[in-house]
């Protein structure tokens, strides 16, 4: 844990980084929340509030809202020519507001749900693994585990089922995790770092106690948190974390699964957390004879839901989602997603707005092509 002096130096480095901002407006252009609010809430406006927080000044409610109107998608970080760690600064501001008891009530509740019940919505943990039906081949002793993640386990069980069927077809028989729980990304995004450290410790030690050597994750958030964030919060886990699509790609390359040509044209709903490996779903689609029409020119196009925006600011979240919904209407065979939270959020907004949606997870499409 950093000392007070180290923490102070970190803050100074943040303020120095903010001083480098030349107000070029590039972050405005890539921020979907800025777009749907006519640049009322921008990445720049958010980070400019750090000095006030450090000086102990009282923030207006609109200023607090600004800090929490970020999905932490990272698009602003990627575009910043001055290399300002915008998302890290927002996380630090949220940490301060949390310590002051000024974060949104829904954020506090969701963090408590994760810590106490293992899921953001305090779902019944006894049904988390109900996706594991008798037609799936699962092992009770394998050192390779499958982690479905909250949104799949409780809202889209068919993604887990499709994933296991694909793995089984390729000769992979994983085990489920008896007491699987949320990865804790929401805690990290909202600056609950001390709680996240303890959470990471407990989660890593539990998985290691099962003798697990590899964890296959379908959720991009779970993949990033288990594979990268836990090492920062606690220590490097003794298990490897594999993204399910990376494994699908490997099985195709090795000839262990052979997709049939589907001759479709789709758009792709990219996952902000893993844009650096967004070639993988496109390679899988190409192997299925599926043509891709790009929605956001291979750049971040956040769905508008993560990091507390959906529960705290539902109207702005829905407007952001509509940027995707309006674009995929022109694709002949719909949209393919590989992020279960995007899928869940966009589906709920379509129902709310009375919009038609032709969207499916890439695992279901791949399963269709190998049956």
């Amino acid at each position: 844990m950093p000392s007070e002096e180290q923490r102070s130096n970190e803050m100074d480095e943040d303020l120095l980084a903010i001083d480098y901002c030349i107000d070029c407006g590039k972050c405005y252009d890539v921020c979907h929340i800025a777009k749907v609010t006519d640049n009322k809430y921008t990445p720049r406006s958010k980070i400019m509030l750090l000095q006030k927080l450090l000086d102990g000044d009282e923030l207006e409610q609109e200023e607090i809202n600004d800090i929490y109107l970020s999905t932490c998608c990272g698009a602003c970080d990627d575009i910043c020519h001055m290399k300002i760690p915008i998302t890290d600064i927002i996380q630090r501001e949220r940490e301060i507001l949390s310590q002051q008891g000024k974060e949104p009530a829904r954020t506090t509740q969701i963090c408590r749900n994760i810590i106490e019940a293992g899921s953001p919505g305090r779902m019944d943990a006894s049904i988390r693994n109900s996706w594991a039906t008798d037609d799936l081949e699962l092992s009770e002793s394998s050192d390779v585990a499958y982690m479905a993640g909250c949104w799949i386990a409780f809202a889209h069980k068919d993604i887990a089922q499709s994933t296991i069927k694909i793995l089984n077809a390729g000769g992979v028989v994983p085990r489920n995790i008896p007491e699987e729980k949320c990865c804790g990304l929401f805690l990290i995004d909202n600056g609950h770092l001390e709680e996240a450290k303890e959470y990471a410790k407990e989660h890593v030690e539990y998985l290691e106690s099962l003798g697990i050597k590899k964890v296959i994750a379908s959720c991009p958030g779970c993949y990033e948190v288990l594979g990268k964030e836990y090492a920062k919060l606690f220590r490097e886990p003794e298990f490897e974390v594999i993204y399910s699509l990376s494994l699908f790609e490997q099985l195709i390359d090795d000839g262990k699964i052979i997709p049939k040509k589907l001759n479709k044209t789709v758009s792709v709903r990219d996952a902000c957390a893993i844009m650096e490996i967004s070639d993988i779903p496109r390679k899988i689609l190409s192997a299925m004879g599926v043509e891709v029409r790009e929605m956001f020119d291979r750049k971040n196009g956040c769905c508008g839901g993560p990091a507390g925006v959906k529960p705290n600011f539902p109207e702005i979240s829905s407007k952001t989602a509509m940027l995707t919904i309006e674009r995929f209407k022109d694709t002949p065979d719909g949209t393919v997603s590989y992020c279960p939270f995007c899928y869940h959020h966009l589906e709920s907004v379509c129902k709310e707005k009375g919009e038609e949606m032709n969207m499916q997870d890439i695992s279901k499409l791949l399963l269709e092509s190998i049956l």
Side-chain angles (χ1 to χ4, degrees):
M1 185 180 302
S3 66
E4 287 300 318
E5 182 180 354
Q6 288 172 323
R7 192 65 172 157
S8 176
N9 288 338
E10 286 177 10
M11 294 295 192
D12 291 343
E13 289 174 8
D14 286 339
L15 294 175
L16 180 61
I18 292 169
D19 284 342
Y20 291 148
C21 179
I22 57 175
D23 197 13
C24 65
K26 295 291 185 182
C27 61
Y28 295 41
D29 295 338
V30 298
C31 178
H32 278 25
I33 286 176
K35 288 178 186 176
V36 301
T37 61
D38 297 321
N39 289 335
K40 181 178 180 181
Y41 305 105
T42 68
R44 185 177 191 274
S45 67
K46 291 168 173 51
I47 63 174
M48 289 299 168
L49 293 168
L50 181 59
Q51 184 70 69
K52 289 185 70 172
L53 282 169
L54 295 180
D55 289 344
D57 294 342
E58 193 77 17
L59 264 59
E60 301 289 337
Q61 186 58 52
E62 271 298 289
E63 293 174 320
I64 294 175
N65 290 349
D66 195 354
I67 290 171
Y68 285 93
L69 272 163
S70 169
T71 62
C72 303
C73 73
C76 53
D77 296 321
D78 294 338
I79 201 70
C80 181
H81 295 307
M82 307 309 293
K83 306 299 180 187
I84 300 169
I86 299 171
T87 304
D88 288 348
I89 292 169
I90 293 169
Q91 179 197 58
R92 189 151 294 131
E93 290 174 326
R94 291 182 178 187
E95 181 180 17
I96 295 169
L97 289 168
S98 170
Q99 292 168 349
Q100 293 176 348
K102 295 178 181 176
E103 71 180 2
R106 287 288 291 129
T107 295
T108 303
Q109 184 60 57
I110 292 169
C111 288
R112 187 177 299 121
N113 289 347
I114 292 169
I115 293 165
E116 295 176 356
S119 67
R122 198 176 278 267
M123 303 297 287
D124 181 357
S126 69
I127 63 170
R128 181 183 275 274
N129 282 325
S130 60
W131 57 264
T133 48
D134 292 340
D135 58 330
L136 304 177
E137 191 176 354
L138 293 163
S139 169
E140 294 184 359
S141 58
S142 174
D143 61 2
V144 178
Y146 174 67
M147 180 172 179
C150 299
W151 301 107
I152 292 176
F154 295 116
H156 296 284
K157 298 176 185 180
D158 54 338
I159 297 176
Q161 292 161 347
S162 297
T163 297
I164 298 299
K165 287 177 182 178
I166 293 166
L167 295 178
N168 289 168
V172 179
V173 182
R175 63 173 297 169
N176 62 17
I177 300 170
E179 296 178 21
E180 182 185 311
K181 64 179 182 178
C182 178
C183 67
L185 176 58
F186 192 87
L187 300 175
I188 299 167
D189 283 344
N190 284 285
H192 285 243
L193 300 183
E194 293 306 312
E195 292 162 306
K197 288 175 184 176
E198 182 59 30
Y199 192 86
K201 178 179 183 295
E202 291 178 1
H203 206 176
V204 167
E205 291 179 344
Y206 169 66
L207 293 172
E208 290 175 348
S209 75
L210 298 176
I212 291 170
K213 299 302 180 185
K214 292 182 181 180
V215 176
I216 302 168
S218 280
C219 174
C222 294
Y223 168 70
E224 285 289 291
V225 172
L226 268 69
K228 297 179 183 178
E229 297 301 320
Y230 280 2
K232 300 174 189 174
L233 292 165
F234 175 45
R235 62 162 167 78
E236 195 75 41
E238 294 174 5
F239 50 81
E240 178 187 2
V241 183
I242 305 169
Y243 182 43
S244 60
L245 267 61
S246 298
L247 188 50
F248 294 165
E249 181 189 27
Q250 181 183 328
L251 292 173
I252 292 171
D253 289 346
D254 292 346
K256 293 183 178 179
I257 56 174
I258 303 174
K260 299 191 298 285
K261 302 301 181 183
L262 297 180
N263 299 315
K264 294 186 176 186
T265 300
V266 302
S267 53
V268 176
R269 170 63 255 175
D270 278 310
C272 299
I274 52 172
M275 285 297 293
E276 71 276 8
I277 57 173
S278 59
D279 280 344
I280 293 175
R282 286 163 176 80
K283 289 176 182 175
I284 294 171
L285 291 168
S286 178
M288 291 187 274
V290 176
E291 179 187 344
V292 173
R293 289 186 186 173
E294 301 295 347
M295 280 196 291
F296 296 105
D297 299 323
R298 296 295 299 274
K299 298 174 183 175
N300 286 55
C302 188
C303 71
V309 176
K310 182 177 177 68
N312 288 315
F313 308 97
E315 185 175 341
I316 293 174
S317 179
S318 294
K319 285 182 179 178
T320 306
M322 287 303 298
L323 296 177
T324 293
I325 293 166
E326 288 166 358
R327 291 196 186 203
F328 75 57
K329 288 179 180 178
D330 297 329
T331 311
D333 299 303
T335 293
V336 169
S337 169
Y338 55 95
C339 175
F341 184 70
C342 286
Y343 193 117
H344 179 73
H345 176 48
L346 292 169
E347 184 180 61
S348 68
V349 172
C350 281
K351 289 178 181 177
E352 170 197 330
K353 301 292 185 182
E355 295 281 351
E356 292 292 329
M357 182 178 72
N358 178 13
M359 186 175 182
Q360 64 179 315
D361 187 81
I362 193 170
S363 64
K364 293 188 69 177
L365 192 62
L366 179 57
L367 182 63
E368 176 188 335
S369 78
I370 65 173
L371 289 177

